[in-house]
């Protein structure tokens, strides 16, 4: 049945009214809840890097299209603009569903009431309606000899749709590159990155993670250093292990127990001493003699340790490598830690050795820098966390003629607790990013994850339950994240894209 011009005009009017109502509602929803809209865009897998611009211009464009559709002589332009914008929205949803590493939360308004697949169908219907309205509007104009646009529809419509798709693809690719390698301090919170599996009350708040094997997790205790709490992965079995140390008369001040593979290490940098034994019988059988005083240390292999002490210029922090099998036994790398203020407080941080990558990893507390070096102390590269604090914001007071130093004001902590496994680095951040929900920071510890192999930011997730207790220690295995908050030990399973990023290597870079 062939429709006459009047019926076509009524249908076109109806389609324009539907589009006008849709865009009016969408723009109003965004503007009335602008802060939430901007936050959601910040979590978008396509538009994170452009959230500031998109959050402001999309509502303006939507309202502009409403004006074009409301004026008869501009309606043709309005329909093309509607087709283009709806084509972008449709492309956005299709890319999210089929090519994105994760599917974000709904964006409010109509979309909040629909699933992503339902909204894709909804958008496709409106794209078809826009095409239909353009064709019939052109026919009505031709019949009335009042054609405002003379460009052939057979070219204009496909070009408009193709252009909208290309724009979204470009935005997707460029946003991903910016977020991963040039992040403007926008966190990407991905749902179900971790799932709580087990938790238990340790009763005391003096525990820390010593290490693990394939069956159990081991916790050291600062107040009872010669006893290790061993917990199986199901949290059903606990036992206390006593380390056999014959010489207990040594003036220990701060003993740390680390378990790496089949060996355990008893370390105290104030003496200094490093003792080693096997987890098979928990007896100390060897002392790694010759190591200088140290403040923190991490085993590299059975005979080597990376450490930090204060033997730099003006007692500044310096990193070094100790090996009991070489001569000389100690090799310093004074260029790794870079002084900004005093060389001590400003270079403070956390030291790890990632055995899978064969790299020492040092994360500063007060600036956004990560140092990676090989097992000989040679600099590999310097990377940055996504926050913007590149210079330590601390004040140092010099007492007793400059022989003593103290913090003159509370420092701005950038990175706190850290852990690394395989190619990933987990960092507890203390600095809120753009478009973030401030109340969440009162109830959760925010963990940022970085891929050390690709030098990229991966994602972030909150660990709740920290309102009254701070995150004290963190440990990562191939499949799980363990945290201690107050006296609570919690075990989380790594899920989704986070699990995929955790590349499990079959080879090893050390003899631990």
């Amino acid at each position: 049945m062939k429709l006459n011009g009047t019926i076509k005009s009524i249908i076109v009017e109806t389609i324009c009214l539907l589009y006008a109502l849709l865009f009016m509602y969408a723009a109003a929803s965004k503007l009335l809840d602008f802060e939430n809209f901007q936050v959601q865009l910040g979590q978008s897998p396509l538009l994170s890097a452009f959230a500031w611009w998109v959050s402001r211009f999309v509502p303006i464009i939507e309202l502009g299209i409403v004006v074009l559709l409301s004026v008869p002589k501009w309606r043709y332009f309005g329909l093309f603009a509607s087709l283009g914008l709806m084509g972008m929205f449709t492309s956005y949803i299709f890319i999210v569903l089929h090519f994105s590493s994760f599917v974000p939360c709904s964006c409010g308004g109509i979309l909040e009431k629909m699933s992503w697949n339902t909204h894709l169908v909804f958008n496709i219907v409106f794209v078809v309606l826009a095409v239909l309205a353009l064709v019939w509007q052109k026919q009505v104009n031709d019949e009335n000899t009042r054609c405002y646009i003379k460009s052939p529809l057979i070219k204009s419509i496909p070009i408009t749709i193709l252009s909208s798709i290309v724009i979204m693809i470009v935005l997707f690719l460029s946003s991903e590159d910016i977020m991963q390698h040039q992040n403007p301090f926008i966190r990407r919170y991905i749902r179900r990155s971790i799932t709580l599996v087990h938790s238990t009350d340790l009763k005391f708040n003096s525990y820390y993670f010593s290490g693990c094997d394939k069956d159990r997790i081991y916790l050291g205790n600062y107040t009872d250093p010669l006893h290790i709490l061993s917990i199986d992965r199901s949290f059903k079995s606990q036992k206390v292990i006593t380390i056999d140390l014959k010489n207990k008369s040594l003036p220990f001040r701060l003993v740390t127990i680390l378990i790496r593979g089949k060996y355990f290490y008893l370390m105290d940098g104030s003496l200094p001493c490093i003792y080693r034994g096997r987890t098979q019988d928990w007896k100390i059988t060897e002392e790694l003699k010759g190591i200088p005083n140290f403040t923190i240390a991490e085993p590299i292999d059975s005979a080597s340790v990376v450490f930090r002490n204060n033997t730099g210029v003006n007692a500044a922090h310096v990193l070094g490598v100790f090996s009991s099998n070489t001569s000389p036994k100690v090799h310093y790398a004074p260029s790794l830690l870079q002084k900004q203020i005093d060389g001590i407080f400003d270079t403070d941080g956390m030291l790890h050795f990632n055995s899978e990558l064969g790299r020492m990893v040092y994360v500063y507390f007060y600036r956004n820098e990560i140092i990676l070096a090989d097992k000989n102390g040679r600099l590999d590269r310097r990377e940055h966390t996504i926050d913007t604090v590149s210079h330590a914001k601390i004040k140092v007071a010099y007492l007793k003629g400059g022989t003593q130093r103290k913090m003159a004001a509370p420092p701005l902590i950038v990175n706190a607790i850290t852990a690394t496994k395989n190619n990933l680095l987990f960092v507890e951040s203390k600095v809120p990013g753009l478009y973030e929900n401030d109340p969440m920071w009162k109830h959760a510890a925010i963990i940022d994850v970085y891929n050390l192999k690709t030098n990229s930011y991966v994602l972030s997730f909150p660990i709740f339950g920290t309102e009254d207790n701070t995150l004290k220690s963190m440990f990562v295995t191939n499949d799980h994240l363990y945290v201690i908050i107050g006296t609570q030990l919690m075990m989380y399973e790594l899920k989704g894209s986070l699990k995929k990023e955790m590349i499990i290597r079959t080879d090893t870079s050390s003899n631990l």
Side-chain angles (χ1 to χ4, degrees):
M1 182 179 70
K2 187 175 181 179
L3 301 177
N4 59 40
T6 302
I7 296 177
K8 290 179 180 179
S9 295
I10 294 174
I11 295 176
V12 170
E13 291 276 354
T14 302
I15 293 173
C16 290
L17 178 61
L18 288 174
Y19 260 108
L21 291 174
L22 175 64
F23 286 142
M24 179 68 76
Y25 170 78
S29 299
K30 295 178 178 69
L31 294 175
L32 290 174
D33 196 9
F34 180 77
E35 183 177 355
N36 186 47
F37 172 56
Q38 193 173 56
V39 169
Q40 290 167 337
L41 281 177
Q43 300 305 309
S44 165
L46 272 71
L47 304 173
S48 300
F50 309 108
W52 192 93
W53 299 98
V54 173
S55 62
R56 285 156 175 78
F57 283 106
V58 167
I60 295 174
I61 292 172
E62 289 174 335
L63 293 175
I65 292 176
V66 172
V67 173
L68 292 176
L69 293 173
S70 302
V71 180
K73 67 176 182 178
W74 296 342
R75 186 164 295 155
Y76 210 70
F77 295 99
L79 285 171
F80 265 109
S82 300
L83 176 62
L85 189 60
M86 190 57 68
M88 291 184 194
F89 291 162
T90 306
S91 303
Y92 171 83
I93 296 175
F94 185 84
I95 293 173
V96 165
L97 289 174
H98 295 88
F99 299 99
S100 171
S101 59
F102 69 100
V103 178
C105 300
S106 60
C107 296
I110 293 177
L111 183 57
E112 189 176 15
K113 311 301 179 182
M114 300 181 183
S115 68
W116 282 87
N117 285 307
T118 302
H119 201 268
L120 178 62
V121 174
F122 177 88
N123 281 14
I124 291 174
V125 170
F126 266 82
V127 168
V128 173
L129 290 177
V131 172
L132 189 63
L134 280 167
V135 173
W136 283 352
Q137 179 71 34
K138 181 70 166 58
Q139 291 176 358
V140 170
N141 288 341
D142 288 343
E143 291 173 2
N144 296 331
T145 65
R146 292 186 292 112
C147 181
Y148 302 109
I149 302 295
K150 298 184 179 298
S151 60
L153 288 179
I154 196 170
K155 293 183 179 180
S156 301
I157 291 177
I159 290 175
T160 301
I161 295 175
L162 182 61
S163 298
S164 65
I165 295 174
V166 170
I167 289 173
M168 290 311 304
I169 292 175
V170 171
L171 287 175
F172 171 57
L173 295 177
S174 58
S175 180
E176 283 295 283
D177 180 70
I178 291 172
M179 286 295 294
Q180 293 180 9
H181 302 286
Q182 310 167 42
N183 193 292
F185 205 7
I186 301 175
R187 284 194 173 87
R188 178 170 286 172
Y189 293 98
I190 300 181
R191 294 178 297 168
R192 294 184 287 274
S193 296
I194 60 172
T195 301
L196 181 63
V197 179
H198 301 296
S199 66
T200 186
D201 190 350
L202 299 173
K203 307 300 182 183
F204 301 99
N205 63 1
S206 52
Y207 285 102
Y208 62 92
F209 290 107
S210 288
C212 72
D213 57 28
K214 63 179 180 179
D215 299 315
R216 309 185 74 85
I217 192 84
Y218 298 101
L219 304 180
N221 192 325
Y222 289 117
T223 60
D224 190 10
L226 294 183
H227 290 94
I228 300 296
L229 180 61
S230 171
I231 304 175
D232 77 324
R233 298 296 180 95
S234 68
F235 278 33
K236 294 180 179 179
S237 170
Q238 296 186 18
K239 63 180 180 180
V240 176
I241 298 170
T242 301
I243 293 176
D244 186 0
L245 174 64
K246 294 181 180 179
N247 188 0
K248 299 180 181 180
S249 62
L250 291 171
F252 293 114
R253 295 177 60 185
L254 183 59
V255 173
T256 302
I257 306 296
L258 295 180
I259 294 143
R260 300 293 183 262
K262 60 185 178 181
Y263 294 104
F264 72 90
Y265 300 81
L266 186 153
M267 303 188 296
D268 189 330
S270 63
L271 291 181
C273 69
I274 296 181
Y275 293 100
R276 193 188 74 183
R278 292 179 178 270
T279 57
Q280 180 180 1
D281 54 15
W282 297 98
K283 293 182 179 180
I284 289 177
T285 57
E286 183 179 357
E287 179 181 2
L288 304 185
K289 296 180 179 180
I291 190 168
N293 290 77
F294 58 88
T295 51
I296 49 177
E298 275 283 329
I300 295 176
D301 53 38
S302 60
S304 302
V305 174
V306 57
F307 66 91
R308 187 194 72 189
N309 65 15
N310 300 107
T311 58
V313 178
N314 295 323
H317 281 145
V318 62
L319 293 177
V321 177
F322 167 81
S323 177
S324 61
N325 294 333
T326 63
S327 181
K329 293 185 176 182
V330 179
H331 168 70
Y332 286 102
S335 62
L336 289 181
L337 299 182
Q338 296 181 329
K339 174 183 175 180
Q340 289 184 337
I341 299 173
D342 70 326
I344 296 181
F345 293 118
D346 63 339
T347 58
D348 200 4
M350 296 198 71
L351 175 64
H352 303 278
F353 184 78
N354 186 307
S355 59
E356 291 82 15
L357 298 180
R359 292 291 181 270
M360 65 173 75
V361 181
Y362 192 89
V363 184
Y364 286 113
F365 283 139
Y366 306 118
R367 61 177 112 160
N368 64 348
E369 188 173 314
I370 304 167
I371 301 171
L372 290 97
D374 66 15
K375 61 179 63 179
N376 297 311
R378 291 188 292 263
L379 178 66
D380 185 354
R381 62 186 185 275
R382 299 181 189 273
E383 298 296 334
H384 294 88
T385 52
I386 60 174
D387 60 86
T388 57
V389 185
S390 59
H391 194 277
K393 295 183 179 181
I394 61 175
K395 292 183 179 181
V396 180
Y398 294 86
L399 308 176
K400 295 184 179 181
T403 59
Q404 291 186 5
R405 311 178 205 189
K406 289 187 177 181
M407 287 283 195
L412 174 64
I413 299 175
V414 176
N415 304 306
I417 307 300
T418 55
T420 182
K421 179 66 177 177
N422 291 336
N423 56 311
L424 296 186
L425 173 67
F426 293 69
V427 180
E428 182 199 7
S429 176
K430 293 294 187 178
V431 184
L434 296 174
Y435 321 128
E436 293 198 29
N437 186 357
D438 290 339
M440 181 174 67
W441 284 76
K442 297 179 182 179
H443 305 281
I446 305 303
I447 309 300
D448 299 329
V449 184
Y450 301 88
N451 190 318
L452 297 177
K453 291 189 69 175
T454 60
N455 310 326
S456 61
Y457 164 70
V458 178
L459 55 84
S460 300
F461 57 84
I463 296 178
F464 289 95
T466 61
E467 183 175 7
D468 298 320
N469 297 287
T470 58
L471 178 64
K472 296 175 62 63
S473 190
M474 181 163 57
F475 190 80
V476 185
T477 66
N478 288 327
D479 303 300
H480 296 95
L481 168 68
Y482 296 85
V483 297
I484 297 176
I485 300 176
T487 63
Q488 291 291 320
L489 170 64
M490 302 180 194
M491 172 183 176
Y492 292 88
E493 182 180 0
L494 306 181
K495 307 283 285 187
S497 56
L498 183 57
K499 176 64 177 176
K500 294 178 183 177
E501 290 281 345
M502 179 69 81
I503 299 174
I504 302 175
R505 297 161 59 96
T506 56
D507 62 311
T508 58
S509 302
S510 73
N511 297 318
L512 289 179

